[in-house]
Structures are given as C-alpha cells and as structure tokens.
C-alpha cells in the first residue's frame, strides 16, 4: 500500500514552518460538578476529558476532513478552532498567532444551517458581510452578495425566507454565507448530515466545484467515507472518546478536479476506503463494547 | 377545470366531494344548529317562566341589541350614554395603560433576559407582584392618584405589564444558540447581536406576551370600571342598578366581540413574525 498511515509523532517533529493552522497538544476538559451542593444532591460529576494530545498541522489550501466514531469530540475540536469553546490546554495557532476567540478569519457552516429565519436569503448574507466589514460601500456589498448567491446556484431565491427553501437550498445559503465573508479557513461540521442521500451527493459535487475555484483551506467533519474521499486532501481519523486522540492521518492522492466515478478508478481508492472502514468499525465496536460492559 | 379532468386520482376525488362533506361547511352547520337550539331554549324558557322571573326573552334581547348597535353615539347625561361612547372610553383607557405597560415591559424584559444579574435581581419582584389581582391595586390607585380616570389607566398598566415582561425575558434568554454562534463567529458587537439577532429571534415570544397582556387588560378594564364610573364596565353596573337585564346581555356580547377582534389582531401579528417557526 502506497499510503502508509502517518502515525502521531512528537509535536516538535511535526511542526511545519509553512502551516496555516497548527493545533498543538490541544485537550478539552469539560469541568464536572464537584461543589458540596451537587454532592449532597447526588448530581456530582467528574471532569470529562473529551479530547487529548491533539496535534495537527494544516497547510494552506488543503481540504482536511475529520472522521471518527460518534461522540469522540469532533465538534468539540471544531468549536475550539472556531473560537466558540475555550481551549482547556495546548494552543491553536492561526498564521502563527494563537486563537483566543471567534473571528471572521474563520467561516463556519453549521450542520443545521443556522440561518436567521426572519431574514431572506439575501439578508442573511448581508448580515454576515456587513458585520464583518461595516465600512465597505453598499455597492461592494451588493456585488459580493450577488456573486456568492450565484456561486451556490441560488439566483432567483434571494427574496425567499429560509422556511420556504428545501434543506439542500438552505445549506447552500449556509455555505454562501460562510464564504461571503472571505475567510481564510472554512469550517464545516457535518454540513450535509441532515440531507437525503441524493441532495447530499449534489452538494458534495458543488463543494468540490467551488473548492476548485477558490482553493480555500477547509476543515470538514463528516461521517461519510465517500464524502471524505471525494473532497479531501487529508483525512484525520480520530479514536473513540473519552480522551480521544488522532489515530492516523491519510493522504488522499487523487488528482483534481475530481468526480465520483473517476476517483473510484484510482488504484489507491479501495485501499483507502478499506483502511477507513476498518478504523471506524474497530472504534465503533469498542464504543459499543464499552457501553455494554459499563 | 378542463385540464383537471384529465388528471386522475386526487383531483377527481376532491371534485366529486359533496358540499356537506366539507369540514368548514359542516362546522358552520353545527355552529348554526347549536346557536339556533340555544336561542330557542332561551326564548321558550323565558316565555314559559323556567328561569328567574324578569329574565328577558331572546327576541327581546336581540331587539335591544339592534337598538344599541344602531344608536351607539347618543348622549342624555352622564348615566345615559350610547354604548359606542362607553366602548370608546374603555378602549382609550386600555390603549393608554397597555401602551405604557408595553413600553416599560419590552425593554425591561430584554434587559432581564440578556443579563443574568438583572434576572436574579428583578425576578423576585416579578414573581411577587405577578400573582396579585389587578383589582387589589384599585384602592391604592385611587388614594395616590385621586382620579378615577388615571386609576383605571394605572390598573391596566399594572395588570398588563407581567405577561409581556415574562414572555420577553423568556424569549430573549432562550434564543437558539446557533444564531448566537453565527453572530459570534462573524465577530458581531454586543449591540449588533442584540438588535439584529436577539430581538428578532425573541419577537414571536414578545408578541405572544403582548397578546396575553392585551387579553388581560380587556378582562380587567370591565371589572375596574364597575367601580370607577363611565366605560363598558360602568355601563353594566348602571344597567344592573336599572335592572335592565337585556342591556347587560348586550354589553356582555359587545365586550366579547371586541375582545375577539383585539385578539385576532395579535394572532395575525404573531403569524407575521413567526417565519415558519411555529407552523
Ligand atoms: N458542554 C459539554 N459538557 C460536558 N460534556 C460535553 C459537552 N459537550 C460535549 N460533551 C461530551 O464530549 C464528547 C464529544 O462531544 P462532541 O459533540 O464533540 O462529539 P462528536 O464527535 O461531534 O459527535 P457526533 O459525531 O455525534 O457529532 C461527548 O462525549 C459529549 O458527551
Ligand atoms: Mg458533532
């Protein structure tokens, strides 16, 4: 196999001078309840270490997918990268500077779209653009909004409210909104998780097309092996929680632009797929065994 | 029509449905039947003395009603005003007291909903004052304000402030975390988040608070006016002193009708701000 798994190595060896984002020794601990009142009422909980020793260097213009068993801490990691959740220990650097909170240099696409229901498609984008760059001219904003609505193929739906759109169209708005602020990194937490298989396939191809145009750094969480193989340059596989780690990182060598049929012809496709399947199967079985045992 | 003939299935079934199977038609028929039976029972009962002596018949009451409705604005001294005048007096008191209450309750509710400190500080007041019957404030109002008009407004104010305040607080404190996350990832300022995200997100709750408050204000005004002079409540009290039961029934009907209209107004407003959220 020409894609030998890259095992996690000591952080100093992994440091890359060209990396756009460096995740170093990051851990997340959800504090338990240990005060007297909780103890008396029997609600005391121990600290919960969700993820630990996460080290990851992300080069500019790469598409990185994170895959792992349910509940291992993928969203937790992404929320720390987004700055929505404090980092318990370690640090995350963006262009060499540590992340301390949310910022417009990172655009986020949410699993359940998170569109403002009282705003039309256009207003949702306008809210984002105007918040990020309040000093830009009206004309410039209009142009950016129009471009991005076009980019995701929603021309004609500008004046619709989210409840008048299908799930697939809503997520298109979500993607357009995240891209309209021109972030350095796009973060996506199971962006197609709530969609049916067919819509999901269409949207994956759309994202591939958009990525070819823009080549932004993307970090995407997914549960779908095919999705990860279609879109990513690197696939990060996480172990089960608690204290989940990165198990291995796969490099995906398929040439771009890609589509579903041609990548399946690639000699590495089936090996990669089998590797991911066995990893996910092993981890998920261990989770189930732990549940049955405990 | 011609086109739908070619479509088999559903369309055919819908077309061949007889009128009496339509749900609305059947509901209306049942409504009319119930109303008819009620009026008949009333008419016959009153005529043959099943009830207390002096209870007017249905036809008498309807005639009275028609008279009051066709002569709403006459004036024969303070104790003999057209029902239109009394209605306007009541509506005016409600409008002023309710508007004042809303102007206080909505911003205060937003503040309490946003700030945990404000919530803890104000919640005891709200919880203590909320269950007090509005009429309990009447003597206090009269003593402090020395004016029945202002007391009426004060009573409306104090009774219609709580539902709006509580609903606004709830709505603001329970804004969907996703919307707040979006705002945060965009780096929106606190003020922009409040104006552009929190308030619109809480609007359905705010409007339903306003709707409940309006309902309460309309309930309370009638009771308060019995003790204050002028207004629909006083009209009822006055007709009770005159022992003209048909007029009391007429007033009850008009109070109900106006309450219904006010409520539908707010129901429409609720729909307007929902954007598919509770449909
Ligand atoms: N606020 C919190 N307090 C305590 N524990 C939490 C909290 N948020 C998440 N967790 C725990 O952290 C672990 C990781 O959660 P997370 O949502 O990141 O998983 P995930 O990998 O995204 O799962 P999924 O694939 O199902 O979305 C879970 O065991 C979860 O119970
Ligand atoms: Mg998740």
């Amino acid at each position: 196999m020409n894609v030998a798994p890259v095992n996690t190595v000591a952080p100093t060896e992994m440091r890359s001078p060209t990396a756009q984002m460096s995740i170093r020794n990051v851990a997340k601990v959800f504090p338990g309840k240990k005060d007297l009142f909780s103890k008396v009422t029997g609600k005391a909980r121990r600290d919960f270490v969700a993820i630990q020793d996460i080290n990851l260097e992300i080069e500019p213009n790469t598409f990185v997918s994170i895959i792992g068993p349910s509940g291992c801490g993928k969203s937790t990691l992404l929320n720390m990268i987004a700055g929505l959740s404090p980092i318990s220990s370690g640090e995350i650097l963006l262009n060499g500077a540590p992340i301390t909170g949310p910022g417009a240099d990172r655009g986020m696409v949410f699993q359940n779209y998170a569109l403002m229901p009282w705003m039309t498609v256009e207003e949702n984008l306008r809210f984002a653009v105007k918040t990020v760059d309040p000093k830009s001219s009206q004309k410039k904003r209009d142009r950016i909004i129009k471009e991005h609505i076009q980019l995701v193929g929603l021309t004609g739906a500008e004046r619709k409210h989210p409840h008048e759109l299908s799930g697939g169209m809503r997520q298109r708005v979500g993607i357009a909104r995240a891209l309209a602020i021109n972030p350095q990194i796009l973060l996506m937490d199971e962006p197609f998780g709530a969609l049916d298989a067919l819509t999901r396939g269409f949207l994956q191809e759309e994202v591939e097309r958009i990525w070819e145009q823009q080549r932004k750094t993307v970090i995407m969480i997914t549960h779908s092996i095919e999705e990860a193989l279609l879109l990513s340059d690197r696939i990060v596989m996480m172990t089960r929680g608690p204290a989940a780690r990165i198990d291995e990182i796969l490099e995906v060598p398929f040439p771009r632009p890609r589509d579903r049929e041609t990548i399946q012809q690639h000699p590495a496709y089936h090996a990669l797929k089998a590797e991911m399947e066995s990893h996910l199967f092993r981890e998920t079985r261990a989770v189930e065994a732990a549940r049955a045992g405990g | 029509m011609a086109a739908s003939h070619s479509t088999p299935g559903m369309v055919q079934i819908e077309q061949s449905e007889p009128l009496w199977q339509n749900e609305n038609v059947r509901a209306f028929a049942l409504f009319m039947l119930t109303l008819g039976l009620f009026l008949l029972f009333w008419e016959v009962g009153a005529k043959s003395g099943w009830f207390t002596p002096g209870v007017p018949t249905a036809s008498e009451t309807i005639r009275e009603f028609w008279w009051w409705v066709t002569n709403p604005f006459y004036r024969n001294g303070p104790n003999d005003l057209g029902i239109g005048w009394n209605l306007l007096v009541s509506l005016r008191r409600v409008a002023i007291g309710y508007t004042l209450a809303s102007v206080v309750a909505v911003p205060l509710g937003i503040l309490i909903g946003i700030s945990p400190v404000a919530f803890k500080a104000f919640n005891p007041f709200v919880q203590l004052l909320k269950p007090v019957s509005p009429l309990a404030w009447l003597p206090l109002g009269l003593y402090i304000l020395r004016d029945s008009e202002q007391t009426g407004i004060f009573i409306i104010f104090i009774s219609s402030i709580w539902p709006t305040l509580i609903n606004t607080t709830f709505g603001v404190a329970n804004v969907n975390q996703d919307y707040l996350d979006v705002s945060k990832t965009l780096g929106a300022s606190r003020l922009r988040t409040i104006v552009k995200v929190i308030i619109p997100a809480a609007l359905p709750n705010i409007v339903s608070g306003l709707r409940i408050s309006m309902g309460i204000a309309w309930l309370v005004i009638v009771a308060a006016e019995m003790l204050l002079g002028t207004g629909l409540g006083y009209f009822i009290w006055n007709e009770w002193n005159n022992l003209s039961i048909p007029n009391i029934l007429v007033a009850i009907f008009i109070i109900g009708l106006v309450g219904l209209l006010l409520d539908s107004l707010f129901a429409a407003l609720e729909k307007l701000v929902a954007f598919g959220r509770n449909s």
Side-chain angles (χ1 to χ4, degrees):
Chain A
M1 200 165 70
N2 60 350
V3 281
V6 184
N7 281 314
T8 35
V9 265
T12 39
E13 288 170 59
M14 276 185 65
R15 285 190 183 170
S16 148
T18 54
Q20 185 175 22
M21 173 168 283
S22 311
I23 300 172
R24 294 191 180 151
N25 289 320
V26 163
K28 177 74 189 187
V29 182
F30 290 107
K33 283 187 189 156
K34 283 170 294 189
D35 56 302
L36 195 63
F37 179 74
S38 309
K39 274 184 186 149
V40 171
T41 53
K43 283 199 186 124
R45 259 192 306 146
R46 270 187 290 156
D47 287 354
F48 181 76
V49 182
I51 53 178
Q52 206 168 32
D53 295 330
I54 302 286
N55 283 289
L56 186 63
E57 303 280 307
I58 297 172
E59 302 295 327
N61 313 99
T62 45
F63 197 119
V64 178
S65 295
I66 302 176
I67 199 163
S70 183
C72 72
K74 304 180 292 296
S75 300
T76 305
L77 179 61
L78 201 74
N79 285 337
M80 286 196 289
I81 296 172
L84 292 173
S85 160
I87 301 165
S88 303
S89 72
E91 57 179 356
I92 301 178
L93 305 176
L94 180 60
N95 300 320
I99 283 172
T100 52
D105 42 15
R106 284 147 287 154
M108 183 101 170
V109 177
F110 296 81
Q111 177 173 5
N112 40 8
Y113 326 124
L115 303 176
M116 314 288 178
W118 57 92
M119 295 182 187
T120 61
V121 168
E122 197 197 314
E123 285 163 353
N124 266 288
L125 264 69
R126 189 176 299 281
F127 172 69
V129 174
K130 207 170 167 183
T131 304
V132 169
D133 190 5
K135 286 189 278 294
S136 64
S137 71
Q138 173 88 30
K139 234 172 100 188
K140 186 179 167 205
R141 282 203 288 265
D142 285 343
R143 186 176 51 74
I144 293 174
I145 292 164
K146 199 168 164 227
E147 268 173 24
H148 284 88
I149 287 178
Q150 228 162 35
L151 181 72
V152 297
L154 277 179
T155 312
E158 291 92 339
R159 307 236 180 289
K160 292 213 163 115
H161 283 92
H163 72 272
E164 300 169 286
L165 303 177
S166 69
M169 288 165 91
R170 286 182 210 180
Q171 194 55 298
R172 285 167 193 265
V173 182
I175 293 170
R177 178 177 64 186
L179 289 173
I181 61 170
N182 193 21
Q184 297 179 28
I185 298 191
L186 189 63
L187 308 174
M188 306 202 274
D189 189 348
E190 293 184 48
F192 316 124
L195 301 174
D196 66 278
L198 210 61
T199 314
R200 199 179 167 124
F202 278 127
L203 239 65
Q204 287 164 359
E205 272 157 28
E206 283 283 291
V207 167
E208 157 68 9
R209 179 182 61 77
I210 293 168
W211 195 82
E212 295 296 343
Q213 281 179 32
Q214 304 205 339
R215 299 235 164 205
K216 265 191 206 309
T217 308
V218 178
I219 305 176
M220 177 180 78
I221 293 175
T222 178
H223 275 134
S224 157
I225 292 172
E226 284 79 15
E227 182 172 298
L229 286 171
L230 175 66
L231 297 171
S232 351
D233 298 308
R234 298 170 80 204
I235 300 172
V236 176
M237 298 203 287
M238 290 179 70
T239 65
R240 63 188 180 275
R245 291 170 301 103
I246 293 177
D247 192 31
E248 51 184 307
I249 299 170
L250 301 177
E251 303 287 334
V252 184
F254 313 143
R256 292 181 186 264
R258 297 172 179 173
D259 66 63
R260 224 171 288 279
E261 283 73 41
T262 50
I263 61 168
Q264 287 182 19
Q265 314 294 318
H266 195 277
Y269 183 85
H270 293 285
L272 281 169
K273 193 173 169 197
E275 172 72 26
M276 291 169 75
E277 272 169 358
S278 79
H279 169 85
L280 279 183
F281 181 70
R282 181 162 25 90
E283 294 298 327
T284 309
R285 193 177 47 188
V287 172
E288 292 303 324
R291 203 199 313 277
Chain B
M1 274 294 126
S4 60
H5 273 291
S6 57
T7 344
M10 288 304 292
V11 179
Q12 288 287 306
I13 292 164
E14 250 171 57
Q15 271 186 351
S16 63
E17 182 190 61
L19 197 60
W20 54 267
Q21 269 189 0
N22 182 299
E23 194 177 280
N24 290 335
V25 172
R26 289 166 72 178
F28 183 70
L30 184 61
F31 168 78
M32 292 307 285
L33 184 71
T34 313
L35 184 67
L37 283 178
F38 171 71
L39 289 177
L40 189 71
F41 171 73
W42 180 4
E43 185 74 25
V44 174
K47 278 221 168 87
S48 42
W50 295 348
F51 317 126
T52 331
V55 170
T57 63
S59 51
E60 235 179 287
T61 310
I62 290 170
R63 234 174 295 122
E64 272 302 312
F65 175 72
W66 188 245
W67 186 86
W68 282 107
V69 170
T70 43
N71 299 287
F73 295 110
Y74 74 91
R75 221 186 251 281
N76 294 334
N79 280 345
D80 194 5
L81 284 175
I83 199 142
W85 289 121
N86 283 311
L87 179 61
L88 286 182
V89 167
S90 297
L91 280 175
R92 201 180 80 96
R93 284 176 180 151
V94 167
I96 297 174
Y98 173 82
T99 307
L100 286 176
S102 306
V103 164
V104 173
V106 172
L108 194 63
I110 292 170
L111 177 76
I112 296 176
I114 288 170
S115 151
V117 176
F119 182 82
K120 284 189 179 146
F122 288 109
N123 200 37
F125 294 110
V126 176
Q127 295 307 329
L128 182 82
L129 295 179
K130 182 183 65 162
V132 176
S133 163
L135 295 183
W137 295 94
L138 198 83
L140 200 66
L142 280 172
Y143 179 75
I144 294 172
L145 300 167
R146 313 246 158 190
D147 177 88
S148 67
E149 184 65 25
Q150 284 175 22
T151 305
I153 291 169
F154 168 71
I155 297 289
I156 295 304
F157 173 84
I158 205 88
S159 57
S160 58
I161 199 166
W162 310 116
T164 306
L165 184 68
I166 290 164
N167 268 41
T168 304
T169 305
F170 177 83
V172 167
N174 290 285
V175 171
N176 189 337
Q177 187 59 39
D178 284 346
Y179 306 154
L180 299 176
D181 282 350
V182 169
S183 194
K184 262 195 219 160
T185 54
L186 294 169
S189 66
R190 190 87 182 114
L191 184 68
R192 189 165 169 80
T193 305
I194 292 170
V195 173
K196 290 281 180 175
V197 179
I198 294 178
I199 293 176
L203 212 53
N205 290 102
I206 296 175
V207 172
S208 57
L210 288 171
R211 183 179 178 182
I212 300 169
S213 281
M214 177 49 88
I216 288 186
W218 193 239
L219 281 181
V220 166
I221 192 64
V222 175
E225 279 172 346
M226 293 199 174
L227 304 161
L228 290 177
T230 70
L232 280 175
Y234 182 70
F235 177 87
I236 289 186
W237 191 249
N238 200 31
E239 296 305 321
W240 162 239
N241 288 334
N242 298 342
L243 271 181
S244 45
I245 308 299
N247 290 351
I248 294 178
L249 290 170
V250 167
I252 287 175
F253 186 69
I254 286 174
I255 290 165
L257 209 61
V258 173
L260 178 70
L261 278 176
L262 290 172
D263 194 59
S264 346
L265 219 67
F266 278 88
L269 197 60
E270 266 183 344
K271 266 222 178 81
L272 198 71
V273 299
F275 290 114
R277 270 178 279 189
N278 46 11
S279 66

